[in-house]
Amino acid sequence: MRPIRLSMTAFGPYRDEEAIDFEPLRGRGLFVISGQTGAGKTTVFDALCYALYGAASGEDRAETRLLRSHFAGDDQPTSVELVFETKGRRYRVFRQMAHRRAGNKSETGGKAELYELSADGEAPAVDRFHVKEVDARLEELVGLTRDQFIQIVMLPQGEFRKLLTSDTENKEEILRRLFGTELYRRLEESFAARARELREAVKGDRQRLLYIGEQARSDLPAREESRLAAVLAQEHAGAAQLLDGLAEEERHYEQACRELLEERERAQAAWDA
């Protein structure tokens, strides 16, 4: 995700609209937002995070109402608009914070809108401008949850340690989303499932092999000189050996049947004569 333009109104310390144009940074893979303490760096982080996730960038500002400027007039809504690019496509997200005007009992004015921009203009990127639908679509576009975005994209003051101290599973999930390895994870799971199926199939085949061997021992006449007898005498005979032995026995008894039939035919012919 690459920010293009960020606009804040009645947000943080800004009473009116304040815009940041990131377009001059196009082509730069890395840039720094720097300044003295209190210069407004965290406000920029908060605005980016609020536009994408509807929340601030730090746990100490979990209450979104605290993001509203104390200098804004009662009739001035707090809003953030972000134009960004991801996977070669541009989007515009607009969020307006609900607030309670003087004399009103309930909050009004809350909005969340998401558009895809093109040469022909802009079109809604969701079916309905409901907060949950907009949030879900933005998370899909960015490829990160809010916590992951904070941990690896902006790394606001003092919060880099969250990535360093997060558990292994969380690190794996963050890196998987960051580098787009979800396909390989699904392939790995598919291969693992197939391997389990094959192991179960082999286990079943071994059981059937043991059963066939026992049946051969009990049902077939003893032929000590046969290959099957030698295979059955082994403690761990292989499937191929057992099948070869059974095939040899099949040929043996087919030949014996043919000889008996020929002998019967000769006897019948002698009787008829």
Side-chain angles (χ1 to χ4, degrees), residues 71-99:
F71 307 108
D74 191 50
D75 60 345
Q76 176 66 62
T78 297
S79 65
V80 174
E81 181 180 83
L82 173 66
V83 177
F84 65 95
E85 184 178 288
T86 180
K87 298 178 182 178
R89 305 171 78 168
R90 287 196 176 195
Y91 298 87
R92 178 174 71 86
V93 56
F94 174 81
R95 287 190 192 266
Q96 182 171 291
M97 188 184 302
H99 73 286

Side-chain angles (χ1 to χ4, degrees), residues 4-183:
I4 296 174
R5 187 177 188 277
L6 176 66
S7 176
M8 303 165 281
T9 302
F11 188 90
Y14 305 117
R15 183 189 65 181
D16 301 314
E17 181 181 5
E18 187 72 24
I20 301 175
D21 184 10
F22 293 95
E23 192 64 14
L25 299 173
R26 172 181 285 275
R28 298 177 181 270
L30 184 68
F31 61 88
V32 177
I33 297 177
S34 63
Q36 297 181 352
T37 301
K41 302 183 297 298
T42 301
T43 300
V44 176
F45 294 150
D46 283 342
L48 284 169
C49 198
Y50 181 74
L52 295 173
Y53 299 100
S57 65
E59 299 300 332
D60 56 341
R61 297 177 302 287
E63 178 54 65
T64 56
R65 292 178 181 83
L66 298 178
L67 300 175
R68 177 171 170 78
S69 174
H70 296 297
F71 307 108
D74 191 50
D75 60 345
Q76 176 66 62
T78 297
S79 65
V80 174
E81 181 180 83
L82 173 66
V83 177
F84 65 95
E85 184 178 288
T86 180
K87 298 178 182 178
R89 305 171 78 168
R90 287 196 176 195
Y91 298 87
R92 178 174 71 86
V93 56
F94 174 81
R95 287 190 192 266
Q96 182 171 291
M97 188 184 302
H99 73 286
R100 184 184 295 110
R101 294 185 178 182
N104 291 352
K105 294 183 178 180
S106 59
E107 294 182 331
T108 59
K111 293 181 182 179
E113 301 174 356
L114 178 62
Y115 302 89
E116 182 172 357
L117 309 183
S118 67
D120 299 327
E122 61 181 29
V126 290
D127 292 334
R128 297 174 298 174
F129 288 141
H130 287 184
V131 173
K132 288 185 178 180
E133 290 191 23
V134 172
D135 289 348
R137 179 61 174 148
L138 281 167
E139 185 172 322
E140 179 184 348
L141 290 172
V142 177
L144 299 169
T145 65
R146 170 186 170 271
D147 291 341
Q148 292 167 345
F149 184 83
I150 291 171
Q151 287 177 327
I152 65 176
V153 176
M154 296 186 303
L155 302 177
Q157 300 177 28
E159 299 200 17
F160 180 65
R161 67 181 184 277
K162 290 183 179 179
L163 176 60
L164 298 179
T165 59
S166 60
D167 56 45
T168 301
E169 290 184 1
N170 190 34
K171 286 189 177 75
E172 288 179 355
E173 179 64 21
I174 290 172
L175 295 174
R176 183 181 299 121
R177 283 174 172 259
L178 178 62
F179 294 106
T181 61
E182 180 65 19
L183 171 62

Side-chain angles (χ1 to χ4, degrees), residues 246-263:
L246 289 170
E248 183 183 84
E249 290 300 288
E250 182 182 16
R251 290 191 296 272
H252 169 77
Y253 287 110
E254 284 178 349
Q255 179 64 29
C257 286
R258 283 194 297 270
E259 291 175 356
L260 288 172
L261 286 173
E262 292 173 357
E263 183 177 348

